[in-house]
Amino acid sequence: MPAQAYAGKECVCQFRKGICDQTCVKDMQETPVYIACLRLKGRRCLVVGGGDVGLEKIDGLLACAGDVHLVAPEACKAVEELAEEGSITWDRKVYEPGDLEGAFMVIAATNDSEVNIGIYDDAEKKAMLANVVDVPPLCNFILPAIVRTGSLAIAISTQGASPALAKRMKREIADTFGEPYAELAIVLNEARGWAKSTLPTYQDRKAFFEEIVNGDPDPIELMRAGNRGEIDSIIEAAKEKHAAAVASA
């Protein structure tokens, strides 16, 4: 797979410089990215390229319930197995612009720079999401490192500057923010219906949840200790307090 652009390397981006002079990445570190979480369930997600890198991207899309469609003349054994079991749809052919029809996003994982550039250009014309693996200048969205535990997801991005650093941060964050945080998120979600039906304003609801999350005793420590019952008691006490405040206002 082509690596990120760096001075002296053969150019892999749309500027076709021959030898890279980093024209394409000059403003990447200065341009903030808009972080978003995409709902892919039932959406057509196109992957071009069926090698090991394509497999990695396919796995990520399937984990989020994307409707994965692969375009590639050939694929590695693991990708073939996913197609055989019906987890993905595979068109055994070279990429053509028409393959983008109906797709929500495209991820290019080929080792052909001209194919990658063509995919990016075609996607840009359709104002659709496009990512060429490991070539940030050919991406209108980038894929951060993700720490995922239950419904909790934490994204780490260096804006393409250092994937290795992002991976280290991922390991450290996973050690710090693990299962207790995901479990507390579920417990707090169960209280959202009550809060929306009882507390009339955003500020009222914000105060309710922040009192629980930042309270003493610490709900995370209680969760780590397996003391779910005390957390429930804290939430019920907070409900009574905030409901009374609303009633007296």
Side-chain angles (χ1 to χ4, degrees):
M1 286 302 300
Q4 292 186 33
Y6 60 86
K9 182 188 183 298
E10 182 180 351
C11 179
V12 296
C13 81
Q14 65 269 46
F15 290 99
R16 295 182 175 87
K17 289 283 186 173
I19 299 300
C20 176
D21 64 1
Q22 292 196 303
T23 294
C24 57
V25 296
K26 285 178 180 176
D27 70 339
M28 287 185 62
Q29 295 304 304
E30 289 78 28
T31 303
V33 293
Y34 187 77
I35 304 297
C37 297
L38 303 177
R39 291 184 176 178
L40 299 184
K41 185 176 182 179
R43 295 186 184 274
R44 181 182 174 92
C45 302
L46 179 67
V47 176
V48 183
D52 291 338
V53 177
L55 171 63
E56 178 187 347
K57 303 309 174 185
I58 289 170
D59 283 343
L61 295 170
L62 289 176
C64 296
D67 178 12
V68 181
H69 190 96
L70 172 69
V71 171
E74 54 188 26
C76 66
K77 180 63 175 176
V79 171
E80 288 183 351
E81 291 174 353
L82 288 173
E84 289 170 359
E85 71 187 26
S87 294
I88 67 173
T89 302
W90 179 17
D91 276 354
R92 303 185 184 216
K93 68 182 192 66
V94 298
Y95 165 81
E96 298 174 299
D99 294 325
L100 297 180
E101 291 300 323
F104 177 68
M105 68 163 59
V106 58
I107 297 177
T110 85
N111 58 4
D112 188 321
S113 292
E114 288 303 315
V115 171
N116 291 338
I117 293 168
I119 293 170
Y120 176 76
D121 287 343
D122 293 340
E124 280 283 277
K125 291 173 185 175
K126 292 181 173 294
M128 65 182 289
L129 295 172
N131 178 285
V132 176
V133 177
D134 211 18
V135 189
L138 293 177
C139 301
N140 57 29
F141 78 100
I142 56 177
L143 295 168
I146 301 293
V147 176
R148 194 184 302 277
T149 307
S151 61
L152 181 68
I154 303 172
I156 307 106
S157 172
T158 61
Q159 295 194 197
S162 178
L165 177 58
K167 288 181 180 178
R168 171 179 171 167
M169 294 172 66
K170 175 180 177 178
R171 291 193 300 270
E172 294 178 359
I173 289 172
D175 290 339
T176 303
F177 302 99
E179 197 66 37
Y181 285 84
E183 292 174 356
L184 182 59
I186 294 172
V187 172
L188 294 173
N189 184 61
E190 293 171 356
R192 288 182 67 201
W194 177 89
K196 287 186 175 182
S197 64
T198 308
L199 305 178
T201 71
Y202 167 79
Q203 291 301 330
D204 292 332
R205 296 187 290 272
K206 177 182 177 183
F208 167 72
F209 283 110
E210 287 191 350
E211 178 178 321
I212 297 168
V213 170
N214 301 316
D216 184 16
D218 183 353
I220 289 295
E221 293 305 320
L222 293 173
M223 194 65 77
R224 285 177 175 146
N227 199 339
R228 167 66 187 269
E230 189 167 348
I231 294 174
D232 290 338
S233 297
I234 291 171
I235 292 174
E236 290 305 314
K239 286 180 178 180
E240 292 181 10
K241 173 182 174 181
H242 286 265
V246 168
S248 63

